[in-house]
Amino acid sequence: IHPELWPHEVRRAPLRHLRPPQHACTMHHAPSPRLRPASLVLSQLYSVQWLSAHSPPFDTPPHHLYRAAKADQGLGLRQRKTNGDGGDATADKTPEEEPVELDAAQKLLIDDKILAMSLNALFFGVFIDAVCSSILGPNYPFMVNRAVDPATGAETDEPAHKEGFDDLGGLGVTTANYVIPMCASLASSLSGLVFGPLSDKIGRKPIILLCLYVGAGGCVLKYALRGSFWGFCGANFANGLFGCSITIGCAYVGDLFEHDPAKKEEVMGTVYGVWMLGGGLGGICAILMESSGLFMPLWLGAGLSLFAGFYVHLRMVEPNKELQKKVTKKKHDDAADGGGDDDEEATDKDAKPADDGAVTELNKPVLINILAGAVADNIGSTGMSLALMPVLFSKYVIGPTFRGDDSTMSPEGYKWLSCCFIFDLIPGMIACMILTQKIGLGASVVLGNFITAFFTAALLIVGVYVTDDGSGMLAVFLVIFLGGYPCTILSQLTTAPMLDKISPPEMRGTIQGYNTLCSDLTGALVPVILGEVQKAAGSYGQEFIMWVTVVWSLLACIINAPLMFNPLYGPQPDEDLNLKGLLGDDVDLIKRAEAGEWVPLADLERINLERMKKGEPFLRMHYGKYADDAPKLWKMRQQAAADFRWIKADMTKWLAKMRDPAVRDEMVKGINESRATPEQQAESRRELGEWFTDYLAANGWWADDNPMVMKELIMSAFPHVSDPEITADTIESTIVKSLRVMNRNIDLAEDQDPFTSLLSKRANPRH
């Protein structure tokens, strides 16, 4: 009986045990296609109702209620109402009228739209936090720059800009320029050590909200203290104490995709990508608001940060880590096992996944090696920043003015360059992603260190040793800088992925905090120290500090060299090895096919076509046992898209050939003659039935629950394509129907945007 016709008490039963009919399924007993949607929706309602009744409450976005039934199916859900004595006024309603709202953590796992909504909120929050942190960046040199005496050409103690700081607290211009962002970076490095572990305990969302709301107040505080250099630096430090949204965001992504390393790496790269883009956009805001003053962009930052806080509060969903782990474990634990192939298992004992695919013990020697290399690399990478300020700024922006000439690069041009060069990283990210797959993370970081040393030395030669400060040499300088900077980022794209490979789940936020400490601390202190060294070295200051960064980049090569020999950070295996399978001569392929092993479809169909032409039967292949295939399901999933595309191409080719009646008749005759015998067909059906039901049982589908729904699911997945026997009149329609099904399966197996994936997979440099 169709569920809409069930008795009232049956329809109210959430998990009614129904015995499937003992007769075989025939077309006479198949349910009407017109009635299938309502039954499927009702089954989904039961599942949602049970989850809602057996789960603790979580933080739920008030404006997003999960809808198990579509409105156009006439089964919309109603809000729960209570009667006067507090009882449930919906107790006597049918199941489709029962309230079935889930908690937010369950929605995050069930509904892809909720997951996308939460991730978009995270991206937006991290993006706005980056905008606010860099919204005054291009103005820093003009805040501290000193006026020049026209008579002597020497710097005075007066600010060059009307809103510049009157007193730099005894610091030189270069040092003061780096002290301002240093305060925020220093505080941010410390905040990661506190809020990273705290987020492991109380959740990621509260910490991100704290960063955004306090960031709004920090912008107001900095504006209020803009009249004092040290007061402004103190406000910048206080604001930086809550500037760890990028660290917590990466930990949040790790929670969501703990057992899906590829997806985790991709989304984590997107987090870093939006962070960098936000940093560039913040500087653009300062340029566009130049006429309003050096500090007015802070009010824009305060408003954006406050709005982002509200948006994240409403949209971002805190995951239930234990539930997330249980649900995603089954889907990916076979991939963590490596399919039982010895050559795919990590040999590092401390990095070997546990049964659930997670690292259980932190490899401290490797951690120290990675962090030490990161420190050396950050010191060396400072040379690229020094190439802009002071080298380019002093030589091409203010240098010509000392002689009374016009600037080779205008102050406005320098501002645009200082905030937009970050977008130069996008092509570098794509190229670096491909390179790291080929040579591995360990070799990539060493190569990146060497490239950084090379381009820093080249900029040193053009910017310091070449005395010409005309437009021609400026063009050469910019070509070297913009051409080399995307390459130098290669060494900075590796820290987060390498640390993630050795991080236990319960320490994910803490380890990311270590990364933030090393990157932000060195990024904060090194420019200031080098600025003081430049001041002490006098006329040779710029030359000396640039050579220091070159030496540190070469030293980073030596420190990171052991990572090249760690199998955990070696080259990634070619993805086609999993998709193409084993290759060999026809004898070997036939043996593997007869044993139930996977072989390339192109070879398999070629062999079968040759056998059919000879009048021989097709290869006899067996389904085997599900228990034997379970460790290899991850390979089957990877092979699916490639197999489906090949089948589609092959069917399309034969569909064109079927226009010739002679070819169509010959093909039908060959297929029917080479097909398995009726006894063999029956045996294959039994094997498939056993494999299929074992798969359902192992993956949470209850065959004893609702026979009607199970039949409907099978019919939806395997629609009618032909009658049992193919004829010359039906073979063309059979291929057309099969192609339609294959197109749908290709879409399901290949559900991602390739460009987005390519751009974001490695877009995760240290900041």
Side-chain angles (χ1 to χ4, degrees):
I1 303 176
H2 193 270
E4 289 183 353
L5 305 179
W6 288 353
H8 179 70
E9 62 275 9
V10 175
R11 283 185 282 140
R12 289 193 56 199
L15 290 174
R16 185 72 174 177
H17 183 84
L18 300 177
R19 177 67 58 186
Q22 300 301 317
H23 56 73
C25 177
T26 65
M27 293 302 296
H28 176 72
H29 297 105
S32 169
R34 181 181 62 84
L35 300 178
R36 275 184 288 165
S39 179
L40 289 172
V41 169
L42 185 60
S43 176
Q44 186 179 17
L45 287 174
Y46 280 147
S47 301
V48 174
Q49 179 186 20
W50 188 92
L51 284 171
S52 181
H54 292 78
S55 302
F58 288 86
D59 180 24
T60 304
H63 63 297
H64 264 273
L65 300 179
Y66 181 78
R67 293 292 189 252
K70 295 181 180 179
D72 59 0
Q73 292 173 322
L75 293 174
L77 305 180
R78 301 181 181 180
Q79 296 291 332
R80 178 179 293 273
K81 299 180 181 180
T82 57
N83 52 31
D85 57 359
D88 189 357
T90 63
D92 58 346
K93 296 184 181 296
T94 57
E96 60 267 27
E97 297 175 318
E98 291 287 347
V100 291
E101 181 182 352
L102 299 177
D103 62 64
Q106 292 171 337
K107 296 177 185 178
L108 193 64
L109 285 164
I110 295 174
D111 195 334
D112 289 340
K113 293 181 180 179
I114 300 297
L115 176 61
M117 176 193 71
S118 185
L119 286 175
N120 288 335
L122 172 68
F123 298 154
F124 184 71
V126 171
F127 177 81
I128 294 300
D129 199 27
V131 169
C132 295
S133 67
S134 62
I135 203 165
L136 293 183
N139 293 342
Y140 290 157
F142 302 92
M143 295 178 186
V144 301
N145 195 31
R146 302 291 93 183
V148 178
D149 188 342
T152 62
E155 289 186 353
T156 66
D157 293 333
E158 297 298 322
H161 194 280
K162 62 180 181 180
E163 291 188 81
F165 296 116
D166 294 329
D167 179 30
L168 299 182
L171 301 178
V173 173
T174 300
T175 303
N177 179 72
Y178 283 112
V179 162
I180 298 175
M182 179 208 74
C183 295
S185 297
L186 182 62
S188 178
S189 66
L190 300 176
S191 69
L193 294 179
V194 176
F195 291 119
L198 183 61
S199 71
D200 288 333
K201 297 181 179 179
I202 69 172
R204 318 298 182 190
K205 182 177 178 179
I207 305 300
I208 293 179
L209 289 175
L210 185 66
C211 292
L212 293 171
Y213 288 140
V214 175
C219 289
V220 177
L221 180 63
K222 286 191 287 186
Y223 185 85
L225 298 177
R226 67 190 185 282
S228 168
F229 174 77
W230 287 116
F232 184 83
C233 290
N236 215 22
F237 180 87
N239 191 28
L241 288 174
F242 300 89
C244 59
S245 64
I246 180 67
T247 302
I248 308 304
C250 289
Y252 178 81
V253 172
D255 295 337
L256 292 182
F257 306 103
E258 180 175 342
H259 297 285
D260 192 346
K263 186 66 174 179
K264 175 169 59 177
E265 187 175 303
E266 177 181 337
V267 179
M268 190 179 296
T270 304
V271 173
Y272 274 98
V274 298
W275 172 265
M276 289 187 297
L277 295 178
L281 183 60
I284 293 176
C285 293
I287 298 174
L288 296 177
M289 298 181 66
E290 181 180 7
S291 60
S292 301
L294 295 179
F295 297 93
M296 282 302 294
L298 288 171
W299 288 106
L300 175 63
L304 289 174
S305 189
L306 191 63
F307 175 78
F310 291 147
Y311 186 81
V312 170
H313 178 76
L314 293 174
R315 296 277 182 164
M316 185 175 174
V317 178
E318 183 70 37
N320 179 345
K321 295 180 182 179
E322 290 301 318
L323 180 61
Q324 198 89 23
K325 183 176 181 180
K326 292 176 181 178
V327 172
T328 59
K329 172 182 179 297
K330 181 59 183 174
K331 183 178 179 181
H332 300 286
D333 59 357
D334 49 345
D337 292 336
D341 294 341
D342 296 336
D343 59 339
E344 294 177 4
E345 294 180 356
T347 58
D348 191 329
K349 63 180 180 64
D350 292 303
K352 184 177 180 180
D355 291 339
D356 61 353
V359 178
T360 58
E361 182 179 354
L362 178 65
N363 190 329
K364 294 182 180 179
V366 175
L367 173 66
I368 295 173
N369 192 164
I370 295 173
L371 295 180
V375 170
D377 177 49
N378 271 278
I379 297 175
S381 298
T382 306
M384 300 301 293
S385 300
L386 295 174
L388 288 182
M389 175 66 186
V391 176
L392 183 145
F393 186 79
S394 61
K395 184 172 184 177
Y396 299 105
V397 179
I398 64 174
T401 62
F402 292 159
R403 305 189 305 267
D405 299 332
D406 293 334
S407 299
T408 307
M409 172 176 277
S410 66
E412 291 76 16
Y414 173 80
K415 285 184 177 181
W416 281 104
L417 175 64
S418 64
C419 66
C420 291
F421 78 91
I422 195 70
F423 298 105
D424 192 32
L425 293 177
I426 294 177
M429 293 173 191
I430 298 175
C432 293
M433 186 210 74
I434 299 174
L435 185 61
T436 52
Q437 288 180 335
K438 297 295 183 181
I439 67 175
L441 294 172
S444 295
V445 67
V446 175
L447 178 61
N449 297 147
F450 180 80
I451 293 177
T452 301
F454 174 82
F455 278 101
T456 302
L459 292 171
L460 168 64
I461 294 172
V462 175
V464 177
Y465 291 125
V466 177
T467 58
D468 184 6
D469 59 1
S471 58
M473 292 311 300
L474 173 61
V476 174
F477 189 94
L478 292 178
V479 168
I480 296 175
F481 180 81
L482 296 177
Y485 190 76
C487 301
T488 61
I489 205 66
L490 176 64
S491 60
Q492 300 185 27
L493 293 176
T494 55
T495 301
M498 289 193 295
L499 289 176
D500 184 71
K501 287 180 178 291
I502 62 172
S503 300
E506 66 276 7
M507 297 183 63
R508 188 171 287 119
T510 303
I511 300 302
Q512 290 294 334
Y514 294 159
N515 182 24
T516 302
L517 173 66
C518 292
S519 60
D520 285 356
L521 191 60
T522 54
L525 297 179
V526 171
V528 176
I529 296 174
L530 293 180
E532 288 299 302
V533 171
Q534 176 193 356
K535 181 179 179 181
S539 59
Y540 298 98
Q542 289 187 14
E543 174 185 355
F544 181 77
I545 62 175
M546 291 290 284
W547 277 120
V548 167
T549 60
V550 172
V551 172
W552 272 100
S553 291
L554 296 176
L555 182 61
C557 292
I558 300 175
I559 296 175
N560 288 318
L563 298 176
M564 297 174 59
F565 306 100
N566 189 326
L568 198 61
Y569 305 127
Q572 298 183 16
D574 192 346
E575 188 175 1
D576 287 340
L577 294 179
N578 286 334
L579 300 179
K580 298 300 182 182
L582 300 172
L583 299 177
D585 56 23
D586 289 352
V587 174
D588 181 63
L589 289 173
I590 292 174
K591 290 181 179 179
R592 294 180 180 277
E594 290 175 340
E597 298 181 13
W598 183 85
V599 298
L601 278 177
D603 291 322
L604 186 63
E605 292 301 316
R606 175 181 56 81
I607 295 172
N608 273 329
L609 184 60
E610 293 174 356
R611 294 170 68 93
M612 184 182 70
K613 291 179 179 179
K614 297 177 183 178
E616 300 175 353
F618 292 139
L619 296 176
R620 181 80 177 103
M621 294 178 291
H622 298 273
Y623 285 91
K625 301 294 184 181
Y626 170 79
D628 297 330
D629 288 337
K632 299 180 290 186
L633 292 182
W634 68 285
K635 284 188 175 181
M636 295 182 185
R637 296 189 189 103
Q638 289 182 331
Q639 293 159 190
D643 284 351
F644 295 161
R645 287 195 300 268
W646 189 93
I647 293 174
K648 176 183 177 181
D650 189 62
M651 285 183 174
T652 304
K653 177 187 69 176
W654 282 109
L655 190 60
K657 292 182 178 181
M658 293 299 165
R659 296 170 183 170
D660 187 345
V663 174
R664 183 165 59 244
D665 294 338
E666 181 182 359
M667 176 59 63
V668 171
K669 179 182 177 182
I671 290 175
N672 290 329
E673 289 179 352
S674 296
R675 190 181 179 188
T677 65
E679 294 76 16
Q680 292 174 335
Q681 295 176 28
E683 181 184 13
S684 294
R685 287 195 293 269
R686 287 193 298 269
E687 292 176 356
L688 172 60
E690 183 179 350
W691 196 99
F692 181 58
T693 53
D694 287 347
Y695 172 86
L696 292 179
N699 288 273
W701 295 92
W702 292 5
D704 57 335
D705 183 15
N706 192 322
M708 183 67 67
V709 173
M710 297 305 296
K711 295 175 186 177
E712 291 164 351
L713 288 171
I714 293 173
M715 292 169 60
S716 298
F718 300 95
H720 177 270
V721 294
S722 74
D723 293 330
E725 184 176 355
I726 296 178
T727 66
D729 294 331
T730 62
I731 187 170
E732 185 177 9
S733 62
T734 298
I735 296 178
V736 170
K737 292 180 181 179
S738 300
L739 275 173
R740 185 164 53 192
V741 176
M742 201 55 57
N743 282 331
R744 182 181 65 182
N745 284 305
I746 290 173
D747 292 337
L748 293 175
E750 201 175 39
D751 187 20
Q752 68 173 0
D753 178 17
F755 176 77
T756 302
S757 176
L758 184 66
L759 176 62
S760 64
K761 267 191 174 180
R762 289 289 194 276
N764 49 358
R766 295 187 303 275
H767 43 284

